[in-house]
Amino acid sequence: MFPLISKRRGHDMEDEGKATAVLEWLKAEGVAQVADAQSLDEFLDANGIDVRSVLENVLIHRLWRTFRLDNEAAVEHLLNLHRPPEYLTDKGVVLSKLARWITAIQQDLEPNENLLAHLSAQARALGTTRVRNAIGDSESLLEAVEGGALLLDGDQVRAEYLDPVPLSTLLASFRKDGHRLWKFRSAFRSPVDVLDRAIAMEWRGFKDGVLDGLLALFEKSDHSLTPVEYLSVFPQALGEASHLARVLRELTRRIRCDDGFQYGSERDDWLEALAGFRCWASGDLRLLACMERPLRDRPGAYLDTVLAAVRDGWNRDRGAAAFGALSLIRGCRLMFAESHALADEAREENCRLSLATLEGGEELLRIADLCADLPLGLRDERHVWSGLTPPIKAHWRKRASAAAGGSRALGDALVAYILAWTSRDAYADVEPIVFELHKQHDRTDLLVALTASGGRLAATRAAYLLDEFDVHPPAQDHISPG
């Protein structure tokens, strides 16, 4: 099994003889014949057996060449359990491996109860030393306990081969490593309510590490953990605006790339995770609503996320949420224009029913119906704009201004929609609405915000309008230069 080393020093030969004597005695007498742990210790001491020396100088190199047992692995485990902890490398001792060692010894060597108690105590000492030495190093600590069937007893962490350790002591090692914190939590076989409460109470100390662990899922090749599963363990993160903003911006960047989701979680997994956040700010909501690429490929998850963001932000920033709602209906219409599928028609109707339940939802839908007259693209057969004469277009503008003018939020939503989604030809006709609504309520703050989070087309148009308002305040009817 192991190579024979031809040049043997004297102490190697002596160690080999002692090791062989141990194994011969075990074979002849049977481990079950040892009365108790003291008997085994006395035998080793009486024969001057240095277990470390046996393992390093004999067992690994040549012992099995001259002396074989059917249960040689179990004997090696037996010797390992008596080796000083400092000579077992960190990776050599983990709680799950100790359990396997004891199981193999029980099955192959059949120790009596007294010897088994001794071996269990040895395993517990090794396991406890390993875990305590790893505290402060998240990678080493997780490796030590993973698969060890941890239990929570009040605020103490217990395991079969681990002396009780305060939960707070172990948790502190994972403050900056949310991904391994998630795995540490998964190592428990008992309810983890106490652990979850401890994380919640010290959330400020954990939140940055949790965010880093979440963002790491964009790159990790292990698809066994999705962002939704990860966030389900840390519900506090769903209320962190900074976490939402970071994920959304990284998602936006990757959506533009053909290989953006090659290694980590899928795009729809991230959209599903975003739908769970409860802290949608106006800029983030507009950024989400202005995504166009998800509509081209499996748009269902994207539209569901927009709807969730709209509902969450409705009472926080109704103008941005209403813009998201108008963009949502536009997305449904665009899908139908491309596919003419009954399912897409039904999706739009379901979105309308959901939006109608919101306060002011009916007024929003009336504006959405007016926006349906504007063209979406070459295959949009439901728009009527190209068939309207200039006087009828003027009448349409009057109706749209009246529908949105009574509400600052709806006015903001209509302005943002016109700037973000109106085609070049249609924009020349409807830009006067922006001037009219600006006369009713100053929209300078909105236009400034759109230059940052309204999409490139809206940002450029908003910047132009800001200059126009400075030079030509909208005191009279405005006719767009087109």
Side-chain angles (χ1 to χ4, degrees):
M1 181 176 180
F2 297 101
L4 178 64
I5 299 178
S6 58
K7 294 182 180 180
R8 303 181 180 183
R9 294 175 294 185
H11 73 273
D12 287 341
M13 296 292 292
E14 182 181 354
D15 287 338
E16 182 174 346
K18 292 177 180 179
T20 303
V22 172
L23 295 176
E24 287 178 342
W25 174 76
L26 289 172
K27 184 178 182 181
E29 300 297 329
V31 176
Q33 303 301 316
V34 179
D36 51 35
Q38 184 178 358
S39 298
L40 179 59
D41 290 338
E42 289 175 353
F43 180 88
L44 296 174
D45 291 340
N47 288 274
I49 301 300
D50 180 349
V51 178
R52 178 194 66 182
S53 180
V54 169
L55 289 174
E56 290 181 348
N57 299 320
V58 181
L59 184 63
I60 292 176
H61 296 299
R62 64 182 71 86
L63 179 58
W64 301 124
R65 179 180 176 88
T66 58
F67 190 95
R68 284 190 171 277
L69 293 173
D70 293 338
N71 50 21
E72 61 189 38
V75 173
E76 184 173 357
H77 298 332
L78 180 69
L79 296 176
N80 274 340
L81 287 174
H82 287 83
R83 192 176 186 188
E86 61 267 24
Y87 295 107
L88 286 170
T89 64
D90 282 350
K91 293 186 177 181
V93 175
V94 298
L95 297 186
S96 56
K97 182 178 287 188
L98 290 170
R100 290 195 297 271
W101 288 359
I102 295 295
T103 299
I105 291 171
Q106 284 182 278
Q107 293 176 347
D108 296 336
L109 302 182
E110 300 179 353
N112 60 33
E113 292 184 3
N114 291 326
L115 182 56
L116 181 59
H118 165 71
L119 297 176
S120 297
Q122 292 287 105
R124 176 176 286 269
L126 288 175
T128 300
T129 300
R130 171 73 170 91
V131 169
R132 292 190 181 279
N133 287 344
I135 290 173
D137 182 339
S138 61
E139 181 180 5
S140 180
L141 181 56
L142 178 63
E143 184 178 53
V145 303
E146 197 168 17
L150 302 181
L151 296 170
L152 271 172
D153 182 8
D155 60 352
Q156 298 288 309
V157 176
R158 299 178 181 272
E160 188 173 7
Y161 301 112
L162 174 67
D163 288 339
V165 182
L167 174 62
S168 58
T169 301
L170 299 184
L171 279 180
S173 301
F174 298 101
R175 280 179 173 267
K176 302 302 181 183
D177 194 336
H179 189 71
R180 290 194 175 97
L181 175 60
W182 184 90
K183 287 188 172 182
F184 173 68
R185 183 182 183 277
S186 302
F188 286 83
R189 69 180 184 186
S190 63
V192 290
D193 296 352
V194 174
L195 187 152
D196 290 340
R197 286 196 295 271
I199 294 174
M201 291 179 63
E202 299 292 333
W203 174 244
R204 290 178 63 85
F206 287 104
K207 70 174 186 176
D208 291 342
V210 168
L211 174 60
D212 290 343
L214 179 61
L215 294 175
L217 296 180
F218 278 107
E219 292 290 349
K220 288 188 179 295
S221 58
D222 180 6
H223 294 279
S224 62
L225 176 62
T226 68
V228 171
E229 291 170 334
Y230 179 83
L231 288 169
S232 68
V233 173
F234 308 112
Q236 299 84 4
L238 296 174
E240 292 286 346
S242 59
H243 290 40
L244 169 58
R246 287 284 301 279
V247 171
L248 181 62
R249 277 151 183 75
E250 182 64 18
L251 179 63
T252 302
R253 183 176 75 89
R254 290 174 178 270
I255 280 177
R256 294 195 296 263
C257 306
D258 291 338
D259 60 348
F261 304 96
Q262 183 176 359
Y263 301 109
S265 296
E266 297 291 336
R267 183 204 73 182
D268 286 0
D269 291 333
W270 286 104
L271 289 170
E272 184 182 359
L274 284 176
F277 277 87
R278 306 181 302 274
C279 52
W280 284 91
S282 56
D284 294 332
L285 212 160
R286 280 193 293 266
L287 184 61
L288 175 71
C290 287
M291 290 182 183
E292 293 190 81
R293 192 163 186 176
L295 285 169
R296 303 173 192 167
D297 177 33
R298 303 196 313 274
Y302 168 70
L303 295 177
D304 290 343
T305 301
V306 174
L307 180 58
V310 167
R311 297 186 69 87
D312 175 72
W314 190 256
N315 292 324
R316 189 177 302 112
D317 186 339
R318 188 162 300 182
F323 166 71
L326 293 177
S327 300
L328 175 67
I329 295 177
R330 173 189 177 273
C332 293
R333 288 181 53 225
L334 189 61
M335 289 170 56
F336 181 81
E338 292 294 323
S339 67
H340 290 83
L342 184 61
D344 293 331
E345 183 85 359
R347 180 182 293 277
E348 178 181 350
E349 183 59 28
N350 289 334
C351 287
R352 292 176 64 91
L353 291 173
S354 181
L355 294 172
T357 64
L358 300 173
E359 180 185 2
E362 294 293 344
E363 290 82 356
L364 170 73
L365 292 177
R366 283 194 284 272
I367 295 175
D369 290 338
L370 285 169
C371 291
D373 294 335
L374 301 173
L376 290 173
L378 295 177
R379 297 187 61 186
D380 182 12
E381 301 170 358
R382 293 192 293 180
H383 80 89
V384 300
W385 196 255
S386 59
L388 302 182
T389 62
I392 297 177
K393 289 178 180 179
H395 177 68
W396 186 96
R397 289 194 295 267
K398 182 177 179 181
R399 291 171 58 207
S401 296
S407 165
R408 175 63 183 265
L410 292 181
D412 283 353
L414 181 57
V415 167
Y417 184 91
I418 289 172
L419 299 184
W421 300 125
T422 311
S423 67
R424 175 185 174 183
D425 293 338
Y427 180 75
D429 292 330
V430 298
E431 188 188 63
I433 296 176
V434 178
F435 279 76
E436 177 61 30
L437 292 174
H438 182 69
K439 285 193 297 184
Q440 298 176 19
H441 297 282
D442 187 287
R443 312 283 172 179
T444 302
D445 290 345
L446 171 64
L447 295 174
V448 170
L450 290 176
T451 62
S453 62
R456 293 182 62 186
L457 182 61
T460 304
R461 286 172 170 174
Y464 164 77
L465 287 172
L466 286 170
D467 288 342
E468 281 290 290
F469 291 164
D470 285 341
V471 177
H472 304 292
Q476 56 186 7
D477 291 343
H478 172 78
I479 302 298
S480 172

